[in-house]
Amino acid sequence: MGVQENGSGDLGMSGVPLGSKNKYRRMDSELTDYSDDDLEVVPYKQTQHERSKSTRKYVFACAVFASLNNVLLGYDVGVMSGAIIFIQEDLKITEFQEEILVGCLSVISLLGSLGGGRASDALGRKWTMGIAAIVFQIGAFIMTLAPTFQVLMIGRLLAGIGIGFGVMIAPVYIAEISPTISRGSFTSFPEIFINIGILLGYVSNYAFSGFPSHVNWRIMLAVGILPSVFIAFALCIIPESPRWLVMQNRVDEARSVLMKTNEIEAEVEERLSEILKAAGIGAGENLEEKAVWRELLSPSPSLRRMLVTGFGIQCFQQITGIDATVYYSPEILQTAGIQEKSRLLAATVAVGITKTAFILVAIMLIDKVGRKPLLYVSTIGMTICLCGLAISLSFFKATSLGVALAILSICGNVAFFSIGMGPVCWVLTSEIFPLRLRAQASALGAVGNRVCSGVVAMSFLSVSRAISMAGTFSIFTVLSGFSVAFVYKLVPETKGKSLEQIELLFQKDRNWQEEEVELSDTQYLVQQKNEAISN
């Protein structure tokens, strides 16, 4: 099947810059597909309304099921922050071993992310999720029964590989299956489930802390196996990504999936044409095959710009210290002045609730206000809160004011992170790369994310001992300030554009502000069309 031509004879997704006449003709032509006479037919309106509801429910279910692996990552992060206190008592591990145990999961998960990119291209997106769940389950089971630190580390390494598989593929899958107008919200689901997992981990810490120290941490880790059971069920429900199916020349199956995930039937053939063109299929194209990794290692100027944006935003998400705040919140609060274990774990539950609640704000806003405004609010807010935490630990340590300011700063930091940097970073890296490179380029971004996370987690206590915890958060404050400049200079707005259209943003130097004006016009046309259909 080739790319359909528009009325002027130009190809709908040829290299015409976004915002040109060609784009507006296409959007207007979509509007004229639904004339006033057609909209007056009641049965058609009812059918379309029912189809829209059914489609939204279907894509919602797919996004939820695809995000279940992220509960495992979040739970592990949350539960380990409290379990490590009791692991120290039971297995008598040193502070260095504590850092290795906590941080190694992030570093080893990069192997899973690299393998996950290749596996998702070879086996499909959804079966890669299944592999991730199985590997994590084995690792969690070994950790639960571990008699020594060495065995605990083996289980931790396996869990890290499983998490690496799962954390990079879920956003890619959801971005590829979601309709353009709601892609941002749905692609944020993995971050929601990470936060839910973190909150469940904190609650588990608090709930099981009363058991003996040689039992409670094992129960805490064992509970993390349960979400994997639901993942097995999910794999029987969700379809394969239509874009992956096209890459496998299974075009009819891809069309069938698009029919289930697009509210307007007329868009299905257009979307399929765009995917075919992006994949180099149809329109008589005979593209020279090039190894994906060779292309990533010697990128074109446009791909280099994509890699800088995607890799950079992933690294900034972690080097601003979010994992240190989550993993070591009990130690941070101890430094601030809270000493009782039950109060420490209760305070971490408050942090988890805040982090989870504010991710819902991001979900409601990401497709309305866009990705970039949320990133501005997030990075500026995090910078202020990290500065406040450094001040509280430096000048008001061990005072009631210091404790209150520390808790407020930690909760504010995770809240601002959840509004922007948390979900938007994964949305962007699943949107900006070309179809044939998307899985492995996203995996490369996930590697940067996991490496930075591991470095922060494994060095936080040592650095804090060397320059003080206040000094460490001062460094995070400076890095967070740099992230504001990075967002301004290198991150484009992608709201309302199809995945294939987003590629055009990086083909040459473009003015992001002009793109956002053109985007508002495009979004207005889409909104007008949807309102006409629903009325």
Side-chain angles (χ1 to χ4, degrees):
M1 174 176 175
V3 180
Q4 296 175 351
E5 296 183 2
N6 60 26
S8 66
D10 296 329
L11 290 175
M13 282 301 295
S14 61
V16 180
L18 220 62
S20 69
K21 280 184 164 183
N22 181 56
K23 179 192 71 171
Y24 290 112
R25 279 200 304 272
R26 190 187 74 188
M27 296 301 295
D28 287 334
S29 67
E30 289 179 3
L31 279 171
T32 57
D33 288 341
Y34 302 93
S35 65
D36 292 338
D37 292 335
D38 291 333
L39 293 174
E40 288 175 1
V41 181
V42 175
Y44 172 81
K45 290 167 62 179
Q46 291 176 339
T47 302
Q48 185 62 50
H49 180 66
E50 291 171 1
R51 176 179 173 79
S52 296
K53 289 177 61 178
S54 174
T55 298
R56 283 193 292 269
K57 289 179 181 178
Y58 185 76
V59 177
F60 178 86
C62 290
V64 168
F65 286 139
S67 303
L68 288 176
N69 266 319
N70 294 70
V71 175
L72 304 178
L73 171 60
Y75 183 83
D76 186 275
V77 170
V79 79
M80 190 56 71
S81 68
I84 194 67
I85 298 173
F86 305 105
I87 293 174
Q88 283 178 318
E89 294 180 11
D90 186 25
L91 301 184
K92 311 299 181 187
I93 65 175
T94 65
E95 185 177 277
F96 175 74
Q97 288 175 321
E98 176 186 352
E99 286 184 315
I100 295 298
L101 181 64
V102 170
C104 73
L105 181 129
S106 296
V107 175
I108 202 65
S109 66
L110 71 86
L111 298 178
S113 293
L114 288 171
R118 296 184 66 86
S120 66
D121 281 343
L123 304 176
R125 311 313 196 208
K126 78 171 188 174
W127 295 115
T128 303
M129 298 178 208
I131 294 172
I134 292 171
V135 175
F136 179 87
Q137 228 174 5
I138 295 171
F141 185 74
I142 292 174
M143 285 194 293
T144 300
L145 301 178
T148 64
F149 174 76
Q150 289 74 18
V151 177
L152 186 64
M153 280 295 298
I154 293 173
R156 188 81 168 149
L157 295 178
L158 284 173
I161 293 173
I163 283 173
F165 264 69
V167 77
M168 61 74 48
I169 196 57
V172 171
Y173 172 85
I174 297 171
E176 292 184 346
I177 204 170
S178 300
T180 298
I181 199 166
S182 55
R183 186 181 62 245
S185 296
F186 285 127
T187 310
S188 302
F189 275 31
E191 186 67 22
I192 294 180
F193 280 73
I194 288 177
N195 283 277
I196 291 173
I198 290 173
L199 178 57
L200 291 176
Y202 285 155
V203 171
S204 179
N205 287 337
Y206 186 73
F208 299 115
S209 60
F211 287 81
S213 61
H214 67 283
V215 173
N216 54 12
W217 66 269
R218 299 180 189 275
I219 299 175
M220 295 173 188
L221 297 179
V223 172
I225 299 174
L226 296 179
S228 299
V229 178
F230 297 100
I231 294 171
F233 171 75
L235 293 177
C236 300
I237 302 296
I238 63 176
E240 186 50 84
S241 159
R243 289 172 172 83
W244 183 82
L245 292 171
V246 167
M247 291 172 66
Q248 306 301 310
N249 290 316
R250 293 157 62 178
V251 179
D252 289 338
E253 294 178 55
R255 182 183 288 109
S256 177
V257 175
L258 287 170
M259 289 292 291
K260 296 178 181 177
T261 58
N262 280 267
E263 297 181 7
I264 303 171
E265 293 183 27
E267 289 184 356
V268 171
E269 293 301 328
E270 181 188 358
R271 294 290 170 259
L272 186 59
S273 296
E274 291 177 353
I275 296 169
L276 287 165
K277 181 172 176 62
I281 301 171
E285 293 187 28
N286 291 313
L287 300 180
E288 179 184 353
E289 287 299 319
K290 187 177 181 181
V292 170
W293 280 108
R294 188 182 308 164
E295 192 169 346
L296 291 174
L297 292 173
S298 57
S300 64
S302 61
L303 179 57
R304 186 180 300 113
R305 193 175 186 184
M306 294 177 191
L307 290 170
V308 169
T309 298
F311 193 80
I313 198 70
Q314 288 278 12
C315 292
F316 271 115
Q317 189 200 57
Q318 294 300 329
I319 62 175
T320 49
I322 188 62
D323 274 6
T325 305
V326 173
Y327 273 127
Y328 297 109
S329 53
E331 283 85 349
I332 297 169
L333 292 171
Q334 274 184 326
T335 303
I338 303 177
Q339 300 301 324
E340 190 179 335
K341 286 182 181 178
S342 59
R343 289 186 63 199
L344 285 173
L345 296 178
T348 60
V349 172
V351 173
I353 291 173
T354 303
K355 197 170 189 297
T356 305
F358 278 86
I359 188 69
L360 300 178
V361 176
I363 298 307
M364 291 186 290
L365 296 179
I366 192 168
D367 282 318
K368 293 181 179 179
V369 304
R371 284 60 159 155
K372 202 162 181 175
L374 289 182
L375 284 176
Y376 280 138
V377 172
S378 177
T379 51
I380 293 171
M382 288 170 61
T383 303
I384 294 171
C385 291
L386 288 168
C387 182
L389 184 56
I391 291 172
S392 70
L393 295 174
S394 179
F395 299 108
F396 304 105
K397 187 165 59 175
T399 66
S400 56
L401 176 61
V403 170
L405 182 57
I407 294 175
L408 181 63
S409 297
I410 291 173
C411 288
N413 184 44
V414 298
F416 281 113
F417 177 86
S418 292
I419 286 175
M421 282 296 276
V424 175
C425 141
W426 294 104
V427 171
L428 279 172
T429 50
S430 65
E431 290 178 330
I432 63 177
F433 295 110
L435 172 61
R436 62 185 299 270
L437 306 176
R438 185 170 298 137
Q440 297 194 44
S442 296
L444 193 60
V447 167
N449 183 286
R450 294 294 87 200
V451 168
C452 292
S453 171
V455 169
V456 169
M458 287 195 293
S459 63
F460 178 76
L461 292 180
S462 298
V463 173
S464 297
R465 298 288 182 271
I467 65 172
S468 80
M469 201 164 281
T472 305
F473 278 100
S474 296
I475 294 174
F476 288 148
T477 301
V478 173
L479 292 173
S480 186
F482 283 134
S483 71
V484 181
F486 180 87
V487 169
Y488 173 78
K489 186 68 177 176
L490 293 172
V491 177
E493 180 56 77
T494 59
K495 181 190 74 170
K497 293 181 173 69
S498 72
L499 296 177
E500 288 67 38
Q501 288 171 332
I502 291 170
E503 292 181 35
L504 299 178
L505 291 173
F506 295 89
Q507 286 187 357
K508 60 180 179 179
D509 289 337
R510 305 179 73 92
N511 186 307
W512 298 138
Q513 283 71 27
E514 290 180 3
E515 289 296 338
E516 288 166 11
V517 172
E518 293 170 1
L519 173 63
S520 64
D521 294 338
T522 305
Q523 187 69 16
Y524 174 75
L525 290 172
V526 173
Q527 185 178 357
Q528 289 288 94
K529 177 179 67 177
N530 290 338
E531 288 177 357
I533 292 168
S534 60
N535 289 333

